[in-house]
Amino acid sequence: MNRRTEVLALIPARGGSKGLPGKNIKPLAGFPLIAYSVAAGLKSKLVTRTIVSTDSEEIAAVARQCGAEVPFLRPADLAQDRTTDWPVFEHALRALKDAEGYEPDILVQLRPTSPFRPLGCVDEAVVKLLEDPAADCVRTVTPSGENPYKMWRLVGDHMEPLLSCDLAEPYNQPRQSLPATFWQTGHLDVFRRQTVLDKRSLSGDRILPLVIDRCYAIDIDNQQQWDMAEWILAKHPPEMVRPQQSPASS
């Protein structure tokens, strides 16, 4: 009998948000924001564990109420404004191996600030990675709202185009003539344990896309974005993974 593929969903949720204090447990349409990401892990058919990595006892308590595991607290030095994702995942892998001997095959990153996830997207991404042994990562993307071939950077007192391509002066071309581009969303990253440990990366070298509709591309970092998310959920909610239990934290 083949060993079950261990798929760990990890939700990074630090306590020191400055743009929107307490956002990870702030109620969004009746549920703590983090509950949407916990639900995405728990409702997946392929995820075998759903864990929250946090430095906050308060977030940990809410996460457990929502059904997630919180087997460790993240050190404060890994919960700073400029902390990147890689050390958070490396710490989680090390902590789980040291405490339990647990080593997942696949990791799924579910950021709390991107709560609008299409139904089934987690399992779709996991399957996509497993079907391509050469792939390091699957990442959600959506068609760009603004084409970067029409973007500029400032160099001294003048501008230079951000990108170039085979077309002459792409910034003067109609958008239909330009290469299609995609913006990475924060909904979902799926990658192998060895990508984290051996390549010291969450994306590696070969990254596969999971293209999602732009209606899901809501990232919450400030009050204006929060208000937009509340309005969408009240007026025009997309088909998405929603919590079904755990009342919102007060």
Side-chain angles (χ1 to χ4, degrees), residues 64-245:
R64 292 188 182 103
Q65 291 173 5
C66 294
E69 299 179 58
V70 190
F72 54 80
L73 283 181
R74 195 195 315 174
D77 64 330
L78 296 181
Q80 303 302 309
D81 288 345
R82 295 184 180 274
T83 301
T84 59
D85 293 332
W86 180 82
V88 173
F89 277 78
E90 191 273 340
H91 168 263
L93 286 173
R94 180 163 36 85
L96 290 168
K97 182 178 180 180
D98 291 348
E100 309 174 19
Y102 177 72
E103 295 183 287
D105 303 291
I106 303 295
L107 293 101
V108 178
Q109 177 165 214
L110 298 171
R111 294 180 181 86
T113 50
S114 297
F116 289 21
R117 293 185 179 88
L119 300 174
C121 69
V122 173
D123 289 341
E124 185 178 352
V126 171
V127 168
K128 194 166 191 174
L129 182 65
L130 291 174
E131 289 180 343
D132 187 341
D136 293 306
C137 173
V138 174
R139 174 166 287 180
T140 50
V141 295
T142 194
S144 301
E146 304 294 338
N147 195 299
Y149 286 96
K150 289 183 176 287
M151 294 182 183
W152 302 81
R153 60 191 181 96
L154 300 184
V155 181
D157 62 354
H158 70 284
M159 299 193 306
E160 293 183 359
L162 180 65
L163 299 176
S164 61
C165 65
D166 294 337
L167 296 172
E169 297 186 344
Y171 43 84
N172 286 332
Q173 299 290 334
R175 61 178 178 81
Q176 293 87 350
S177 301
L178 296 173
T181 60
F182 295 83
W183 173 66
Q184 65 179 30
T185 70
H187 296 82
L188 183 64
D189 299 299
V190 178
F191 41 89
R192 304 181 195 278
R193 180 182 78 249
Q194 294 308 319
T195 300
V196 179
L197 299 179
D198 295 346
K199 297 188 176 183
R200 297 177 66 84
S201 171
L202 302 193
S203 53
D205 304 307
R206 178 170 167 79
I207 306 168
L208 305 182
L210 182 65
V211 181
I212 64 175
D213 192 280
R214 286 180 62 183
C215 72
Y216 296 99
I218 300 294
D219 187 56
I220 301 176
D221 284 314
N222 56 48
Q223 188 62 52
Q224 183 179 17
Q225 293 165 336
W226 185 280
D227 292 342
M228 176 62 74
E230 288 270 17
W231 183 86
I232 291 172
L233 287 173
K235 301 296 185 180
H236 300 284
E239 288 194 55
M240 57 180 278
V241 181
R242 288 176 177 262
Q244 291 181 332
Q245 299 176 349

Side-chain angles (χ1 to χ4, degrees), residues 52-58 60 64 70-76 91 95:
V52 168
S53 169
T54 184
D55 61 316
S56 165
E57 291 280 8
E58 186 177 15
R64 292 188 182 103
V70 190
F72 54 80
L73 283 181
R74 195 195 315 174
H91 168 263

